[in-house]
Amino acid sequence: MAACQVCFRHCSLSEGDIGFCGARTVRDGKVIAYNYGRVSGLALDPIEKKPLNNFFPGSYILSVGSFGCNLRCPFCQNSDISWSEEARRYAEDAETVKPQELVKVALDMRAQGNIGIAFTYNEPLVGYEFVLDTAKLAKERDLKTVLVSNGTAELTVLAEIAPYIDAMNIDLKGFTDEYYDRLLGGSRKQVMEFIEEAVKHCHVELTTLIIPGENDGEEEMREMSAWIHELELANGKNIPLHISRFFPRFKMTDRDATDVKKVYRLAEVAREELEIVYTGNC
């Protein structure tokens, strides 16, 4: 048996087993990224779509995704490549791309306004080895590197990739342990520790999707924004917060989309502490 060290789950795996995330396995007694280089999506996106509004605004970035995720959000926007049955089937047929090939594509797209590579769509850190290898090559060619993550990873993983990442958008999905435990199958503590360390190394923006009846309380938003503000003071820089509207999808179709007025009100609450707050999907 071998223990995976990527996230708080520390899955104990036998040879050939697949971890909870669907993206890691054991080969020759060593835990490796089963999804290494297996690309599920490749597109040239506006940087604001990541969303990153304060990092080279108006530019484009080559976005790449694989499959697998270590959370179980019932409202997942990319369930087909994250943790659905379709994702497991896709794992067998995904096209494999080498880091050198991906960097070449990114360089070829510079003429179209591309500034680099964003690791996104699924959870990139469940296959962090591919992120690391690609980001190293990208930095050698003066390409910007972006990580869009749920932040559910050990600090040892962050320490490996941080020197090669220019910006991150990290999901801070709520601000109670109960919400993370019950609805997401995650660890708020691990995400907060990840964010605390990430802001020391690169530009960071945060995103919170507002789910009706779950994480939409004003007091919770006050506590979250106060915590973010403390990080801003400690690091001497702004940390933009994106407050986003939920729409019914995947396994959460039992409620309506978030009221737009609720999103705007929570943004007002967040601005009591934070200088830069955006609303999304409104």
Side-chain angles (χ1 to χ4, degrees):
M1 301 287 283
C4 180
Q5 300 298 327
V6 168
C7 78
F8 73 96
R9 298 186 186 282
H10 296 160
C11 292
S12 185
L13 305 172
S14 298
E15 189 75 15
D17 284 352
I18 302 295
F20 178 90
C21 63
R24 303 190 69 75
T25 189
V26 173
R27 188 173 298 161
D28 298 326
K30 181 181 179 182
V31 180
I32 64 166
Y34 171 60
N35 68 347
Y36 188 98
R38 298 192 188 193
V39 171
S40 64
L42 195 65
L44 188 63
D45 288 331
I47 193 74
E48 289 81 3
K49 194 176 176 180
K50 296 306 93 193
L52 289 170
N53 288 9
N54 290 63
F55 182 78
F56 293 89
S59 63
Y60 288 82
I61 194 157
L62 180 63
S63 298
V64 60
S66 184
F67 58 83
C69 186
N70 51 7
L71 294 186
R72 290 295 181 264
C73 305
F75 45 79
C76 183
Q77 299 179 53
N78 293 307
S79 59
D80 55 332
I81 58 172
S82 294
W83 64 278
S84 64
E85 287 303 315
E86 185 179 352
R88 305 235 179 234
R89 291 193 296 270
Y90 186 86
E92 301 299 325
D93 304 317
E95 180 182 353
T96 301
V97 176
K98 295 178 181 179
Q100 299 92 323
E101 296 170 334
L102 185 57
V103 169
K104 183 180 185 305
V105 173
L107 289 169
D108 290 344
M109 286 187 169
R110 270 180 165 165
Q112 297 169 249
N114 180 44
I115 63 168
I117 299 172
F119 304 93
T120 180
Y121 301 144
N122 73 311
E123 172 48 52
L125 293 180
V126 297
Y128 79 93
E129 295 92 338
F130 182 72
V131 173
L132 178 62
D133 292 346
T134 305
K136 283 181 177 179
L137 294 177
K139 297 307 293 177
E140 290 175 3
R141 302 305 299 272
D142 199 29
L143 291 166
K144 302 300 180 186
T145 54
V146 166
L147 186 76
V148 182
S149 173
N150 62 31
T152 304
E154 297 285 6
L155 296 185
T156 51
V157 172
L158 178 58
E160 286 196 57
I161 66 168
Y164 309 100
I165 302 296
D166 295 298
M168 298 186 194
N169 184 289
I170 305 169
D171 285 335
L172 183 53
K173 294 176 183 285
F175 212 63
T176 67
D177 292 333
E178 190 272 341
Y179 179 71
Y180 262 89
D181 293 343
R182 173 180 54 82
L183 199 67
L184 315 178
S187 167
R188 180 174 71 118
K189 179 178 181 290
Q190 182 160 76
V191 175
M192 290 173 66
E193 290 175 348
F194 187 94
I195 293 170
E196 287 172 348
E197 186 64 24
V199 296
K200 299 174 184 177
H201 298 279
C202 66
H203 175 79
V204 170
E205 301 187 24
L206 304 176
T207 296
T208 303
L209 182 69
I210 302 301
I211 311 296
E214 297 289 354
N215 63 342
D216 57 351
E218 291 188 15
E219 190 55 37
E220 182 173 341
M221 181 55 68
R222 281 195 177 89
E223 292 176 4
M224 177 189 290
S225 54
W227 178 77
I228 297 170
H229 183 57
E230 290 177 4
L231 287 184
E232 291 181 323
L233 294 176
N235 291 276
K237 59 183 178 182
N238 288 323
I239 303 172
L241 173 64
H242 300 255
I243 299 176
S244 194
R245 186 186 183 204
F246 158 86
F247 289 96
R249 65 181 77 237
F250 193 36
K251 296 188 177 184
M252 187 172 275
T253 56
D254 61 341
R255 64 202 74 194
D256 295 332
T258 315
D259 190 309
V260 173
K261 291 180 181 178
K262 169 67 76 171
V263 176
Y264 288 154
R265 173 57 188 156
L266 291 176
E268 289 179 5
V269 171
R271 291 187 185 109
E272 294 171 5
E273 294 280 358
L274 305 175
E275 182 178 341
I276 306 175
V277 179
Y278 300 102
T279 55
N281 296 337
C282 293

